[in-house]
Amino acid sequence: MPIVSWKDEYSVGITKIDDEHKKLIAMIDEAHDYVESQPSSDAVKKLLADMENYAISHFDTEEAYMKVYDYPDTKGHKAEHATFLERVRAGDVNFADDTFVPGTVKILSFLADWLVTHILGSDKQFGDFLMEKGAK
Ligand SMILES: [Fe+2]
Ligand SMILES: [Fe+2]
């Protein structure tokens, strides 16, 4: 069962950003399915690493828009991205012992909640700003 699903209300109005958010949500769900059905630490570790890389490239996308459009809250928004990456990296510690399944599920739930909260708050605010500036 997915722990997070895309909803139209998550749209920030910029297609490229929405598409990347959809992909991140799908990656969280994929890792969640995996950890529940085939708790192999190597496979889950790889999914977390892929998620981290994808998140980095997504944050680069948003931060490039911030630069181009001189977004006033760039600093605060970037700090939120940095927190997300710290949490993804913290996932690694769960592979050191045999309780990594509940540990990883907990991390994935945190990431899912974080992502939805970030999209509905900071990213939507940013999306409104971009749309006002005529960004696509
Ligand atoms: Fe985002
Ligand atoms: Fe963001």
Side-chain angles (χ1 to χ4, degrees):
M1 215 184 88
I3 49 169
V4 58
S5 307
W6 172 263
K7 294 192 185 108
D8 287 341
E9 63 180 282
Y10 296 163
S11 174
V12 301
I14 306 289
T15 309
K16 185 172 165 60
I17 294 177
D18 284 347
D19 286 348
E20 292 181 3
H21 287 158
K22 287 176 189 168
K23 172 81 178 163
L24 275 169
I25 286 172
M27 288 175 103
I28 291 173
D29 280 327
E30 195 191 342
H32 185 248
D33 279 353
Y34 228 98
V35 79
E36 285 203 318
S37 62
Q38 305 174 48
S40 133
S41 61
D42 283 349
V44 175
K45 204 169 183 171
K46 189 182 177 304
L47 290 170
L48 283 174
D50 290 348
M51 204 189 323
E52 179 180 339
N53 288 331
Y54 194 79
I56 290 169
S57 97
H58 168 61
F59 295 156
D60 284 348
T61 297
E62 288 188 3
E63 290 169 19
Y65 271 111
M66 288 176 200
K67 211 170 170 187
V68 170
Y69 291 94
D70 198 17
Y71 185 50
D73 188 33
T74 295
K75 207 177 157 197
H77 197 137
K78 274 182 159 180
E80 289 185 35
H81 290 166
T83 304
F84 180 88
L85 291 176
E86 272 167 31
R87 297 307 302 208
V88 174
R89 283 166 191 149
D92 287 348
V93 300
N94 294 291
F95 298 103
D97 60 41
D98 59 5
T99 61
F100 90 93
V101 174
T104 305
V105 169
K106 218 171 125 191
I107 292 238
L108 290 170
S109 304
F110 176 90
L111 297 179
D113 289 348
W114 184 92
L115 187 62
V116 168
T117 304
H118 182 79
I119 289 172
L120 290 175
S122 301
D123 282 352
K124 272 208 173 239
Q125 211 178 323
F126 179 46
D128 288 348
F129 169 85
L130 288 176
M131 283 193 289
E132 234 171 74
K133 296 279 179 185
K136 292 232 161 49

